[in-house]
Each structure stands twice: as C-alpha cells, then as structure tokens.
Amino acid sequence: MSSAEISTHHDAAHGEHHGPAKGIRRWLFATNHKDIGTMYLVFSLLMFFTGGFMALIIRTELFSPGLQFVHPEFFNQMTTMHALIMVFGAVMPAFVGLANWMIPMMIGAPDMALPRMNNWSFWILPVAFGILLSTLWMPGGAPASGWTMYPPLVLQTGDAFPFLIFSVHLMGFSSIMGAINIIVTIINMRAPNMTLLAMPMFVWTWLITAYLLIAVMPVLAGAVTMLLTDQFFGTSFFLAAGGGDPVMFQHIFWFFGHPEVYIMILPAFGVVSEIIPTFSRKPLFGHDSMVYAASSIAFLSFIVWAHHMFTVGMPLTGQLFFMFATLLIAVPTGVKVFNWVATMWQGAMTFETPMLFSLGFVFLFTIGGFSGLMLAVVPADIQYHDSYFVVAHFHYVLVPGSIFGIMAATYYWLPKWAGHMYNEKLGRIHFWMSAIFVNVTFFPMHFLGLAGMPRRIPDYSTQFADFNSIASVGAIGFGLSQLLFVYIVFRCVRGDGATATAEVWDNPRGLEWTVPSPAPYHTFEEPPEVTDGKAFS
Amino acid sequence: MTISQSNRQKARSLTWQLVAMAIGAFAFGFLVLPPMYDVFCDVTGLGGRTNEVATVVEEPTTTGRVVRLEFATTVNQYAPWEFGSDVDSMTVDIGGVYETTFTARNLSDKSLVAQAVPSVSPPQAARHFKKLECFCFTSQEFVANEEKQMPVRFIIDSDLPAHIDTVTLSYTFFDATKMARANVAATN
Amino acid sequence: MIQKLCLSALAILFASSAGAEWELNMPRGVTELSAETYNLHMQVFYWCCAIAVVVFGAMIYSLVKHRKAAGAKPANFSHSMTAEMIWTIIPIIILMIMAVPSAETLIKLEDGRKPDLTVVVTGYQWKWHYEYLGEDVAYYSSLARTSVDARRKNSGIDPNTVENYLLDVDNPLVVPVGAKVRVLITSNDVIHAWWVPDLAIKKDAVPGFMNETWFRAELTGVYRGQCAELCGKDHGYMPVVVEVVEPTAFQNWLDSSRPEN
Ligand SMILES: [Cu+2]
C-alpha cells in the first residue's frame, strides 16, 4: 500500500491522525467508529434504565390486585413507552454500537465506510428520544396505544400524536443510515483475501440484519405516515368510514414488525457464535450452515407477519399458510441451537462471564423458541393471543435473548475496549442474579396467560395475584442486578482490573484480538494479512 | 489498497443503491401495499368487504339453492342516528335479484351526513354478494330529524361456496359530516 | 367429628387443587373445540419438553464432561454433514406431525354452518353490547357495580373481598346449553377483542367490519373472560361473562327480556 493512498483516505474520513479531539467536540463531531460505538452503547444503557424504570412502575402497580399507584391512562402510557424505548432505544442502538466498535476491527478496516453519516445516525437518536420522552408532559399524556400503534386507538392520542410519529420517523432514519453504513463497510472494506464466507458470524448476522433494516424500517415509516395523514390531512387509509380498513395497518405494521423481531435477535446470534467457540476452545460448528440458517430466517421473516393477527378475522387459507410458514422458522432456528451445542461438544470449556451469558442465552432463548412454536399453532394461538403467555414469550426472546447477547458481547469485548479486565467474580454474580431474576419475572407469566390474564391491563382479578407478585419481585431483582453491571463496567473502564493482553482470552479467533488492548484510536490503517483460519471464529 | 480510489467509487455507488432501496421500501409501504391490500381483500373477501358491484343485470337464474341472509346494523361512535333493517332476515334464492330496505333517522336538530359501510360475513361470501343498488354507494345527507328508508338491491351469485348456509350483511353507520364538509370545501 | 374434619380437609384440598389447575394451565373448557385446542396445546407442549430433554440434556452433559477444569482436551471438528442433515430433517418431521391436527381443528373452527342462535357482539369503550338477532333483545353489559366501586385507585376496598373482582358484569350474555351459537363481532369505536377462555374463542371487534365465530357449550355454568385487545384507558375493565343455561330457562329468560310493548 502506498502512503499516498493512506492519506487520501484520512483526509476524506476525518483528518485526525494523532488521536481524539479534546472535550465535547470529540463526541459532538465524532467520526471515529470507536467513539461513535461508545456513544451508542452509553445511550443504549441510558435508555435501558429509562425503559427499565417504566417496567418497574408497571410491575409495582401489578404487584397486587387493586389500583394503588397509577391511573389506568398512565399505566397504558408506561407499557407503550417501555416498549418503544426498549426496542428502538435500548436493544437496537446497543447492537449498532457493537457493530460500530467491532465490525471494522473484525474485518480489518480502518473505520466505518461513511464516518460522517455515522455521526448523524447517532445524533438523531437522542433527539428522537428527547421528543418521545417529552410527550410525557404534554396535554393528553404520552402515547398510550401500545407500541404497535393500532388505529383507531392511536388516533385518540392527545397532543403527543404528531410527536410520536415524528420521533418514529427519526428513529427510522437513524437505523437506515446505520444499516447503510454497515453494509457498505462490510462489502467494501474487508481486508484483502477475506471472502464473504470467511467473515466472522457477528459480521455475517449484522450484514443480514442491516439488509432487513433497509427493507422494513421504511415500511414502518410509511405506515406511521399514513396514520399522520389520516389524522390531519383527511385521508382514510385506516378509517372504515372513508373506505379504509384499520386492519390494513396491522398487516403493514407486522410486515415491518416481524423482521424487526429478527433485527433484534440476529446480531445476538452472531455474538454467541463468537463467544461459544472461544470458551469451548473449538471452532464454531457448521459456520456455513449458520450463515444459511440466518439467511433463511431473514427470508422467512417476510412471510409470517400475519401470525401476529390470527384473531383479526382472516380467510382459512391465510391462517393455514401463516401457520405453516411460522412453524417452518423453527427449522433454521433449531439448526442454530444444535450447532451451538455441537460447538461445545468435546470442547474444553471454561465459564467466564461472557460464556455464562451465552449459555444463558442458548438455554433461555430456546425456551422462548418453544413458546414461539406453541404460538404458531393457530387454534392454541387463539387462546394465547394478547395474553400474558405472549408477554412471557417475547420477553424470553428479548431479555435473555437479545439483552443477554448484548451483555455477553460487552463482557467479551470490554477488555479490548478498556484495556483492563473487568472483575470476573462480580461479573459472574451479575450473570447469576440476572439469570435467576429473569426467570422469576417471566416464567410465571406463562401461567398467567394460560389462566386467562390479558396483557396491557393495569389491574386484574384476584386469582392472578400470586404469580403477579412473584413476577414483580423478580422484576425489581432484575432491575437492581443491572446496577451491578454499571458498577462493573465503570470500574473496568476506570482501570481497576488487571491489564488486558492483546488476546484477552485463551487463543480466541478473529482479527480484533491481533490489535493491542485497549484498541488504539486508529486500527488497521494498513490492512492486515488474512490467513483464512484466523479470520473467522 | 483497501481504500483505493476505485474502492471509494464502489462504496459511493453502493451507498446510493442502498438509499434507493430504502426509498423503494418506503414507496412500497406507502404507495404499493395499500392498493395491493385492496385488491387482495376484494379477491379473498378479507375483512368481509363487499366492493362487488354488479353493473349488468342478467336474467335472474335462480339455482334452487337457498341461503339464510341476516341483517345487522351498528352506529359508530354513538352518532345521533337510529338505524336498523326493516326485516331481520330473509331466505334468498341463489342467483335471484332481491331488494330490502333499511331505515335511519337523524336524532339531532342539525343536518348530518352519514356514510354506511357494508361488511359481509363469512368473508368467503363477500365477493359473491353483489349489490345492484345500495345506499352505501354514496354518503347520505339527513336534514334535522329526517327519517329515510333506504333500499339495497342485490344478487348472491351462484359461485357462493357450497359450505356456506348463512350470510350476514351488516352496515355500520359513520358520521361523515366533517369529511363531507371538508370535501365540499376542497372542491369549491 | 374426625370423619367430618377429614372430609372437609379433603374438600379443601380438592378445591384448591382444582383451583391450582386453573391457575397453571389452559382451561380444558366446555366445548368440543376448546377441548381439542387444549389437547393441541398439550401435544405441542410435550413435543417441546421432549426436544428440551434432548437438547438441554446434550448441552448439560457437555457442560459437565467437556470442561477444561475436568481435564477435557478440545477436539477440532467443525462440520458433520450427517449431524446437520439429522437436525434439519427430524424437526421438519416433528413439525409436520404438529401441523396436521392443528389444521384439522382450525378447519372445524371455521365451520360456522347451521347456527341455532346468532348474537351480535359490539365492543364499546368500555363495555359490550349484545343483540340477539331477530329476537328483539339487546342490552349493554358493563363491569359489575361491586368491581366498579373497588377498582378506583385507593378505593379502600380490598379486591379480595369482591366476588369475581373485575370478572363480573351487570348483564351477562345468556345462551342455551348444547346450542350452536354464532357470534358476530364488531365495534363501535376502536378495536376490541372478545375472549372467553372456556369457550376457546377470541375474536377482534373491528369498527366497520363484521367478524364471525361460533361456539357450542356443552355444560351449563358461568364462563368469564375479558377484552383482549388494548382499547384505551379502561381496557382492563370490560369483562365478558357468558351464562350457559338449560334451553327452557333460556327461553324464559329471552321472553322476559323482550321489551314490553
Ligand atoms: Cu376493549
């Protein structure tokens, strides 16, 4: 590589040769993938606690029958905001943050392909969530129609309505820009000789996720735009009186919403596919079939949307089609789980915190998968639909699924970011507390749903009291456990732990372990030599 | 080597391709899906929509097969109307032309515009329920306290699936006064 | 005396275990299709358990045996065509076994032919309206007074002292036992969903559209459910109560419910 080419790149990308800018400018005008990754992760953590606080308001009210703390209107605002914040503010930005930090380092690129767009896509987020949170103080309160925003109910939202739509638009813009950046980086900036199939699984799952994002976030934007025009500009896309159909919104929403579910889980699949081989001291079993499985999950996610709406009134053939398609998703998902188990098989396992979270992921995500399978069976789904069984199901996929994936990734790469080890003992305590409380919180919800408790209700019949109390205790325990996480990360970043080596773990695979810890501000300014085996995990 | 000039060119064109893809996806959601959904509904009867309008009245060819037709009415959002069908149900020869009436009364002292929205259940019957004339085709103006008897003329065609023996025709009365005024304002 | 004590202890035990069953699992219900639905639910659940035993069993075995601390040396395999074929094909077979009875039940569920009685259910924010088609009987069904008083924030009334707290209404839907009841469902305002677990039916009430479902209750009794689709602030306060009675009792009730004119 000639030096002329290097400087071309630098002038175009950021012009910072010697390290970060000073003070606030470093963050406000950040173009360095590591800085932006850090901002995404910190923002996501903030949102995780905001959304978590709302969850605790919900669980506190539901601790015992009778209304004690909040009014039903406010309760509905909490369920709606909790979901919007967790989905768009906590889980998705966390994965984008991980992508920003790790993808360039894993493919041997000096930075993301579009650094300036990277800056915008991050800074849109605080604006979007600032707007969304401000609706809590507006006349009529925050949106209270559920994160699914079904009309006509959502049209009864007070002054918050246009702000809700606008903030969803902004979140969409941010995700789409982030996704474009990730795709261009992966396609264009891989180290020479790194073929697509040689890429690490985390990069692969993110590539698929990014395509999903570009395909469906605009569809959500379209759906909420139609809500806006229905409300203010006299159209009737979703109003029966003008020849529209409220159910059409549900079809469009879930055309976005089901791929969205996989957007939130595929990167976590990638994370555990990195971690399990490292701590099993064995290569990932079936790397290529993992890629095919993730791709087929992504493809199938486009043809199963109506399984969210089996009670809406659908022709029999439609119900049958969506049932079969949904059952089919169990096959590639099963392949992934079996491959992880086969990776552990005959390994030499150790159980550091990232591995514990990954194992927790495999166990508990699989339980979420089982309830997903049950939900696919239409006659049974008619009973489960909109009950706490569904709440249990998607929290099993999202909390010990996506969020454990994020936790595992954080522990796995934190020494690389910070240059110090985190406190392993505290990490393990954090895992066990999280794993226990997540089950205490969400397992009883299966029973509540089967016994007939609908979701999104502020008060319930006395027969549901016991399990609700247990779930509330679990939720508070889970919330408190996460404070420990903040403490562990804080101490590690401050430099309290042992100094981390470049490899951090016992002979891990992947280019990120070939750079020193902490990773220098600029890495891979010269592309690394990739020999096939070292690149993927 | 990685960030050579040609690579930057490639990155730029890929970026624009992806932007185009996102715009395409938005257009798909906003412009393509709604009309596609309408076509889909008309074909499958999803949602019990009866957009079927029979324009040509052929010689009524009754088949001898009969179904029970029931009528149901709803007024949306407590709008000030009394609205009901004049008969509860009728027995219909498939292929025959029938007429029935509904009556609505404006309970308010203002003139109002109503839009009736039809729905047929089961949905598989929707596309076989063909209306020759219906008060739901256009919005209906009611002066203060006006009562109107409104006719529907229809055929249930012979392609009605064999497993259907009861069909329900339901109308929901929506207050379309605001919508109608807005349209008038727009055309003026 | 002792005998009496034993009997009452047994009665309490029986009652509480029956209660526990209701709390832990889907009710078997009182219609042919609710029982079929329950069986499907259990069947899929058992399949899940079986798969869990295999997958988690292998995983736990591996976690115990293939630990570095236990002296395990890592193998180096990363592919096995045979294994991957097996765990692609076997799940497909299991899924087909699941899909067939599900489809059968679903087809029955959609067969609303020859109803004995048609009821139009209309969802309102936040109550239900029932209309017996062609019978000139129609009325609203709202949350019972006792629950209305107790549900208010800090009402000072302990919900445990209210019978069927939040699951009781002023005017239940009354239907005859053994009759095929066709339920037409629509809404006055936003989307609601009419759900009675014991009848295994749940259907959305969509404004402007008429949905249809049916049930045939095989046992008399009172069956309770709730609105299942978020419909605004009092979504949690619009229960569904269906009273299934003997046909003669139903006829008497119907006659006495007609407006006197
Ligand atoms: Cu409701």
Side-chain angles (χ1 to χ4, degrees):
Chain A
M1 162 175 281
S2 74
S3 62
E5 274 156 4
I6 293 176
S7 73
T8 311
H9 155 60
H10 270 188
D11 292 339
H14 31 61
E16 293 159 346
H17 280 267
H18 306 292
K22 293 281 172 288
I24 186 81
R25 294 180 58 86
R26 169 175 178 184
W27 305 107
L28 219 49
F29 304 111
T31 49
N32 179 289
H33 72 104
K34 300 184 181 80
D35 283 348
I36 292 175
T38 304
M39 288 197 294
Y40 264 112
L41 289 170
V42 170
F43 176 77
S44 148
L45 191 66
L46 275 175
M47 287 296 114
F48 179 56
F49 278 96
T50 312
F53 181 71
M54 291 170 175
L56 290 186
I57 294 177
I58 295 167
R59 282 315 325 168
T60 310
E61 180 53 63
L62 291 175
F63 179 74
S64 60
L67 269 195
Q68 288 91 15
F69 303 102
V70 298
H71 289 286
E73 302 89 309
F74 187 71
F75 183 91
N76 290 345
Q77 294 173 28
M78 286 296 102
T79 53
T80 306
M81 296 288 272
H82 162 73
L84 286 170
I85 287 172
M86 286 306 201
V87 168
F88 296 105
V91 173
M92 288 168 67
F95 282 127
V96 180
L98 291 171
N100 261 290
W101 250 104
M102 300 317 300
I103 286 177
M105 277 160 66
M106 293 172 105
I107 61 173
D111 203 311
M112 297 295 281
L114 310 161
R116 220 162 287 133
M117 191 159 93
N118 209 2
N119 175 292
W120 298 336
S121 65
F122 171 75
W123 279 109
I124 285 175
L125 273 184
V127 178
F129 283 90
I131 292 171
L132 185 65
L133 285 168
S134 73
T135 61
L136 278 165
W137 291 275
M138 286 179 187
S145 56
W147 81 286
T148 48
M149 301 177 280
Y150 282 2
L153 183 62
V154 72
L155 303 177
Q156 296 181 351
T157 307
D159 290 6
F161 181 75
F163 296 93
L164 165 70
I165 305 296
F166 186 50
S167 69
V168 171
H169 276 148
L170 289 179
M171 294 168 204
F173 268 116
S174 162
S175 309
I176 292 165
M177 290 203 283
I180 290 177
N181 210 341
I182 286 168
I183 293 175
V184 179
T185 307
I186 296 175
I187 300 293
N188 262 302
M189 300 186 54
R190 292 192 311 281
N193 303 333
M194 185 186 270
T195 60
L196 276 177
L197 263 181
M199 294 192 310
M201 272 312 290
F202 180 68
V203 181
W204 251 115
T205 51
W206 242 118
L207 181 65
I208 296 166
T209 304
Y211 273 109
L212 284 180
L213 276 168
I214 293 179
V216 301
M217 287 306 290
V219 176
L220 174 69
V224 297
T225 306
M226 286 184 257
L227 286 177
L228 194 74
T229 60
D230 271 8
Q231 182 82 316
F232 295 117
F233 303 109
T235 60
S236 23
F237 287 106
F238 309 127
L239 303 174
D245 183 350
V247 175
M248 182 172 77
F249 178 85
Q250 301 184 20
H251 282 283
I252 300 176
F253 181 87
W254 287 113
F255 183 82
F256 144 79
H258 200 80
E260 168 70 16
V261 172
Y262 293 108
I263 287 166
M264 290 191 283
I265 199 67
L266 282 175
F269 286 175
V271 166
V272 302
S273 302
E274 300 296 328
I275 293 173
I276 291 177
T278 298
F279 296 95
S280 304
R281 292 164 182 77
K282 238 183 102 221
L284 180 68
F285 185 90
H287 176 279
D288 295 2
S289 69
M290 286 297 225
V291 173
Y292 300 134
S295 312
S296 35
I297 289 173
F299 169 75
L300 286 172
S301 75
F302 285 103
I303 56 165
V304 296
W305 77 88
H307 71 207
H308 295 268
M309 13 186 327
F310 280 138
T311 64
V312 87
M314 216 188 291
L316 177 63
T317 40
Q319 298 185 49
L320 288 170
F321 171 79
F322 287 111
M323 173 167 78
F324 296 143
T326 305
L327 287 173
L328 212 54
I329 287 196
V331 176
T333 314
V335 166
K336 294 210 139 271
V337 173
F338 297 132
N339 282 5
W340 289 322
V341 176
T343 307
M344 296 174 214
W345 193 259
Q346 291 186 352
M349 274 184 272
T350 52
F351 303 101
E352 287 85 350
T353 312
M355 181 63 163
L356 287 176
F357 272 102
S358 301
L359 293 172
F361 173 96
V362 177
F363 264 110
L364 300 175
F365 173 81
T366 304
I367 292 179
F370 287 146
S371 53
L373 196 59
M374 296 170 77
L375 281 157
V377 174
V378 182
D381 177 80
I382 288 171
Q383 291 279 45
Y384 308 138
H385 178 81
D386 267 336
S387 79
Y388 258 78
F389 191 83
V390 174
V391 178
H393 160 71
F394 67 71
H395 279 96
Y396 261 88
V397 220
L398 281 172
V399 184
S402 307
I403 292 190
F404 273 26
I406 294 163
M407 296 285 179
T410 308
Y411 283 110
Y412 187 52
W413 286 312
L414 187 59
K416 175 61 61 191
W417 304 335
H420 291 269
M421 299 305 289
Y422 58 87
N423 185 319
E424 188 59 56
K425 196 168 149 198
L426 287 180
R428 290 179 192 196
I429 293 174
H430 173 226
F431 166 74
W432 282 109
M433 285 174 61
S434 300
I436 289 165
F437 283 123
V438 90
N439 284 294
V440 174
T441 311
F442 297 115
F443 207 80
M445 291 184 185
H446 291 113
F447 302 134
L448 286 172
L450 294 175
M453 180 167 161
R455 64 192 283 205
R456 294 164 166 169
I457 56 173
D459 193 3
Y460 48 83
S461 178
T462 49
Q463 76 209 18
F464 304 128
D466 297 347
F467 286 129
N468 268 301
S469 307
I470 296 170
S472 292
V473 170
I476 289 162
F478 186 81
L480 292 177
S481 313
Q482 304 321 309
L483 295 176
L484 182 59
F485 174 68
V486 176
Y487 176 70
I488 295 168
V489 173
F490 176 74
R491 276 193 41 185
C492 175
V493 172
R494 210 178 54 179
D496 278 0
T499 309
T501 61
E503 287 214 314
V504 182
W505 311 110
D506 185 4
N507 197 24
R509 287 147 199 269
L511 290 173
E512 73 265 40
W513 309 111
T514 62
V515 301
S517 305
Y521 200 58
H522 297 291
T523 39
F524 295 124
E525 298 189 288
E526 303 237 8
E529 278 299 310
V530 175
T531 54
D532 198 42
K534 198 67 181 169
F536 67 76
S537 42
Chain B
M1 245 166 77
T2 32
I3 319 294
S4 64
Q5 207 57 43
S6 79
N7 222 332
R8 283 168 47 76
Q9 207 64 50
K10 257 168 51 192
R12 193 167 298 152
S13 86
L14 179 60
T15 306
W16 285 113
Q17 279 169 32
L18 293 169
V19 169
M21 211 177 123
I23 294 170
F26 180 80
F28 177 71
F30 194 71
L31 301 172
V32 180
L33 276 181
M36 213 168 90
Y37 179 78
D38 283 345
V39 172
F40 185 71
C41 286
D42 289 344
V43 172
T44 61
L46 183 79
R49 290 203 197 186
T50 60
N51 296 341
E52 294 296 328
V53 178
T55 41
V56 188
V57 191
E58 304 133 31
E59 276 299 293
T61 44
T62 51
T63 55
R65 181 179 156 207
V66 293
V67 292
R68 185 180 152 81
L69 179 64
E70 298 181 330
F71 302 105
T73 53
T74 317
V75 177
N76 193 256
Q77 292 280 20
Y78 302 103
W81 272 287
E82 206 173 72
F83 174 49
S85 80
D86 296 335
V87 291
D88 293 324
S89 68
M90 56 204 285
T91 306
V92 171
D93 259 321
I94 295 219
V97 177
Y98 287 83
E99 178 167 328
T100 183
T101 52
F102 288 71
T103 302
R105 195 158 70 86
N106 180 355
L107 300 176
S108 77
D109 295 329
K110 285 176 293 205
S111 88
L112 294 172
V113 179
Q115 175 65 54
V117 174
S119 177
V120 167
S121 183
Q124 294 89 326
R127 58 190 286 233
H128 306 288
F129 189 94
K130 297 194 165 145
K131 298 186 285 298
L132 304 167
E133 185 190 332
C134 179
F135 58 94
C136 59
F137 287 168
T138 56
S139 54
Q140 303 281 327
E141 176 113 34
F142 285 72
V143 298
N145 298 309
E146 185 187 353
E147 182 175 293
K148 268 201 224 179
Q149 200 182 42
M150 304 168 298
V152 188
R153 265 168 24 98
F154 61 88
I155 307 176
I156 296 182
D157 75 34
S158 52
D159 298 331
L160 183 79
H163 65 83
I164 293 173
D165 64 1
T166 312
V167 175
T168 308
L169 171 64
S170 110
Y171 283 103
T172 306
F173 237 47
F174 285 89
D175 186 348
T177 311
K178 241 168 65 188
M179 215 179 273
R181 302 266 184 276
N183 283 346
V184 169
T187 46
N188 281 351
Chain C
M1 181 62 206
I2 290 171
Q3 198 186 0
K4 207 174 161 187
L5 215 73
C6 284
L7 266 177
S8 58
L10 213 74
I12 289 167
L13 203 73
F14 188 76
S16 66
S17 72
E21 193 175 22
W22 157 245
E23 275 180 35
L24 273 171
N25 203 350
M26 183 190 285
R28 186 177 273 280
V30 292
T31 72
E32 184 196 336
L33 285 173
S34 73
E36 266 186 41
T37 301
Y38 172 84
N39 290 338
L40 270 176
H41 155 73
M42 290 314 290
Q43 192 200 340
V44 182
F45 174 70
Y46 289 137
W47 272 116
C48 290
C49 290
I51 301 166
V53 167
V54 175
V55 177
F56 294 159
M59 199 169 146
I60 290 166
Y61 176 85
S62 182
L63 289 179
V64 173
K65 283 282 176 188
H66 307 141
R67 278 178 302 144
K68 197 176 176 220
K73 292 275 174 289
N76 202 32
F77 63 85
S78 67
H79 299 279
S80 163
M81 198 59 188
T82 331
E84 290 179 64
M85 287 305 275
I86 289 173
W87 61 57
T88 309
I89 289 166
I90 290 183
I92 291 178
I93 294 170
I94 296 177
L95 290 175
M96 288 194 313
I97 297 173
M98 277 180 201
V100 172
S102 311
E104 281 171 2
T105 305
L106 184 57
I107 289 165
K108 284 190 211 166
L109 216 62
E110 289 289 315
D111 180 7
R113 268 179 292 181
K114 297 196 176 58
D116 300 311
L117 176 69
T118 301
V119 186
V120 181
V121 174
T122 311
Y124 281 73
Q125 283 177 320
W126 292 273
K127 62 192 169 199
W128 297 99
H129 182 264
Y130 299 129
E131 180 189 354
Y132 290 75
L133 213 60
E135 298 288 353
D136 203 16
V137 173
Y139 54 90
Y140 287 100
S141 175
S142 326
L143 186 66
R145 193 72 236 168
T146 45
S147 290
V148 171
D149 291 337
R151 63 158 264 207
R152 270 176 240 293
K153 190 176 155 199
N154 301 321
S155 64
I157 303 170
D158 179 3
N160 291 299
T161 63
V162 180
E163 208 181 341
N164 295 310
Y165 177 59
L166 298 186
L167 289 181
D168 205 8
V169 294
D170 49 4
N171 305 304
L173 180 73
V174 182
V175 298
V177 69
K180 183 166 188 174
V181 181
R182 194 159 71 113
V183 187
L184 296 169
I185 302 173
T186 186
S187 166
N188 170 66
D189 33 53
V190 300
I191 301 174
H192 304 263
W194 200 75
W195 179 26
V196 185
D198 276 306
L199 305 176
I201 61 175
K202 182 188 284 144
K203 205 75 170 177
D204 287 4
V206 183
F209 295 87
M210 192 54 92
N211 258 328
E212 181 176 336
T213 185
W214 67 275
F215 67 88
R216 188 198 299 274
E218 284 160 355
L219 276 176
T220 58
V222 180
Y223 306 107
R224 298 170 196 281
Q226 281 175 272
C227 175
E229 180 64 59
L230 178 61
C231 58
K233 84 180 157 71
D234 286 351
H235 164 55
Y237 306 101
M238 45 184 297
V240 176
V241 180
V242 178
E243 210 177 308
V244 179
V245 299
E246 292 297 339
T248 47
F250 173 72
Q251 205 50 53
N252 292 339
W253 172 85
L254 203 60
D255 293 339
S256 68
S257 302
R258 288 203 178 88
E260 290 146 52
N261 44 9

